[in-house]
Amino acid sequence: MKVLDKKFTDRVFEVATVDMVAALGEVVADRVSGHRHYEEYLTEYLTTYSRWLKDLNAEDHKYLYDAAVATMRDPVPGANPAGFYVKAGLTRVPSVSENSVLMLTPPPFVHQTFEGATYTTLEPLLPVLVDRIERRDPNANPYEGLRAVAADALTAYGAWLEAHLEGDDRAHFIAWTMGKAAEVAFMKGTRTEAKTLLSPEK
């Protein structure tokens, strides 16, 4: 069994993309004028993200891995027991032209959401990777090469996005992602409303 086989990574990348877009839509909704404009923004956003993922270097990978581990150990913003602080803007800055539709949002927003989406994707993925490494080789130390496997996953994610965004199914991929993200956002909103209505303080 490969640790990063296609069936596994396809599912992981789909979920990661939908979660990212669900959060993104809530923020940029008031900055775009209609469905088509948002579709244009989202296509450019994901295209830029795919390039950014593929261009990350070893230091970027190390920071994102450490941020994922810190978030796992200490969900409250700040330092985990090892003293690692999650700070925004420490990885390479994505390339965004002045004429890009992404300028509807501040460039730091694009960079920081790329970082946040990436390490929050790694956070639940790392324990799964450990399990898959152990299943492949029970005698292996799963933590020895975990950072490298995580880096490979991020590079593969960038290539996966690029393939969907540059292929013939781009329109279908964007439409499918937007639809699934809307479902996720709706369910999150429903859960939040239910918690409010069922609160003992009511």
Side-chain angles (χ1 to χ4, degrees):
M1 179 189 76
K2 289 184 178 180
V3 177
L4 296 175
D5 66 79
K6 187 177 185 303
K7 183 178 179 181
F8 169 69
T9 55
D10 279 356
R11 182 57 179 156
V12 169
F13 299 158
E14 284 178 357
V15 172
T17 305
V18 167
D19 282 348
M20 169 194 260
V21 174
L24 179 70
E26 296 177 12
V27 177
V28 304
D30 62 344
R31 291 177 176 264
V32 296
S33 53
H35 178 84
R36 290 295 181 188
H37 199 200
Y38 176 60
E39 186 177 292
E40 180 186 355
Y41 180 95
L42 179 58
T43 301
E44 185 65 21
Y45 183 92
L46 292 178
T47 300
T48 305
Y49 183 50
S50 72
R51 289 196 298 263
W52 181 80
L53 284 171
K54 292 179 66 179
D55 290 342
L56 294 175
N57 61 26
E59 285 301 309
D60 297 326
H61 287 144
K62 180 180 184 303
Y63 168 76
L64 293 165
Y65 177 92
D66 289 345
V69 172
T71 306
M72 190 187 309
R73 293 175 176 173
D74 181 12
V76 178
N80 68 20
F84 178 87
Y85 284 85
V86 178
K87 297 179 182 178
L90 296 185
T91 58
R92 67 174 56 234
V93 177
S95 177
V96 179
S97 73
E98 292 183 2
N99 298 322
S100 171
V101 68
L102 295 184
M103 295 304 287
L104 288 171
T105 49
F109 168 81
V110 173
H111 186 197
Q112 291 169 23
T113 54
F114 283 1
E115 290 180 329
T118 304
Y119 68 71
T120 54
T121 293
L122 284 179
E123 179 196 350
L125 180 60
L126 293 178
V128 179
L129 293 177
V130 167
D131 179 68
R132 290 176 69 85
I133 292 170
E134 290 178 329
R135 286 172 180 269
R136 187 183 65 168
D137 183 359
N139 297 317
N141 177 356
Y143 300 98
E144 192 172 80
L146 184 58
R147 191 189 300 271
V149 175
D152 288 345
L154 294 183
T155 302
Y157 186 18
W160 181 87
L161 277 172
E162 183 182 64
H164 283 288
L165 292 164
E166 294 186 354
D168 295 335
D169 70 336
R170 181 174 71 174
H172 171 75
F173 174 71
I174 292 295
W176 180 88
T177 302
M178 290 174 65
K180 289 295 182 182
E183 291 178 15
V184 169
F186 173 78
M187 292 306 299
K188 286 182 178 178
T190 301
R191 285 198 296 270
T192 300
E193 183 67 15
K195 288 179 181 178
T196 301
L197 293 172
L198 297 174
S199 171
E201 297 179 2
K202 283 285 184 179

